[in-house]
Amino acid sequence: MTKYNITEKKEKEAAYRSLVSPKLMDELKEKILDVILIQKKYKDKNYSAKCLAEDLGTNTRYISAIVNVRFHCNYTSFVNKFRIEEAMALLVDRRYLNLNMEDISDMVGFANRQSFYASFYKITGMTPRQYKMQQLSQHPSKTEAPVEKKRGRKPKQ
């Protein structure tokens, strides 16, 4: 994949990954999901693995180990997955059709448009614009204005 300079990384075995007990991994996995996904910290472009570790009272090595072992990716890829999922929803939501890609990128937590495009392409295999056009052509009703219900008069009895 030469587009967006995406290269496949080789799996490295880090010794510290095996130092975290499975029980602690499970506990921290749930806490990580709560903070990143439920509290939507993925939208904060400044929320790093260090911030997460501080919030959970642990260290970045543990965070890295858990994300690698339980989610099979690094912290950045983990967070970007949620950002892209939200971006995909926003791109086809008629309330946001007038926003440009930089606005969408900013709303979901990317620091710049380039990392948004690179992550989007890596996850979906297409650019955000290609995705938007494809989805809107397959579901044209998403671009139509919502139908308002007519308020009728109550029939006389």
Side-chain angles (χ1 to χ4, degrees), residues 1-9 114-126:
M1 286 198 270
T2 57
K3 197 168 189 175
Y4 299 111
N5 294 325
I6 298 172
T7 57
E8 295 296 321
K9 293 188 178 180
Q114 290 78 15
S115 35
F116 171 58
Y117 270 76
S119 293
F120 198 99
Y121 190 85
K122 182 178 180 184
I123 290 171
T124 66
M126 61 182 87

Side-chain angles (χ1 to χ4, degrees), residues 16 20 28 32 48-54 56-69 71 73-75 78:
Y16 66 87
V20 184
L28 285 174
I32 289 169
S48 64
K50 184 178 180 186
C51 295
L52 178 60
E54 288 171 3
L56 297 180
T58 188
N59 61 58
T60 54
R61 287 254 186 204
Y62 275 30
I63 297 296
S64 177
I66 292 157
V67 170
N68 274 273
V69 172
F71 301 107
C73 57
N74 63 32
Y75 177 80
F78 174 69

Side-chain angles (χ1 to χ4, degrees), residues 54-107:
E54 288 171 3
D55 287 349
L56 297 180
T58 188
N59 61 58
T60 54
R61 287 254 186 204
Y62 275 30
I63 297 296
S64 177
I66 292 157
V67 170
N68 274 273
V69 172
R70 294 294 193 243
F71 301 107
H72 310 289
C73 57
N74 63 32
Y75 177 80
T76 303
S77 296
F78 174 69
V79 171
N80 284 348
K81 183 181 85 157
F82 298 115
R83 291 173 174 165
I84 296 304
E85 286 173 2
E86 180 154 347
M88 289 167 74
L90 293 176
L91 285 168
V92 296
D93 187 322
R94 70 174 154 250
R95 295 172 293 179
Y96 303 105
L97 289 177
N98 63 332
L99 295 180
N100 64 35
M101 293 303 163
E102 288 181 43
D103 294 334
I104 299 286
S105 167
D106 191 55
M107 285 174 69

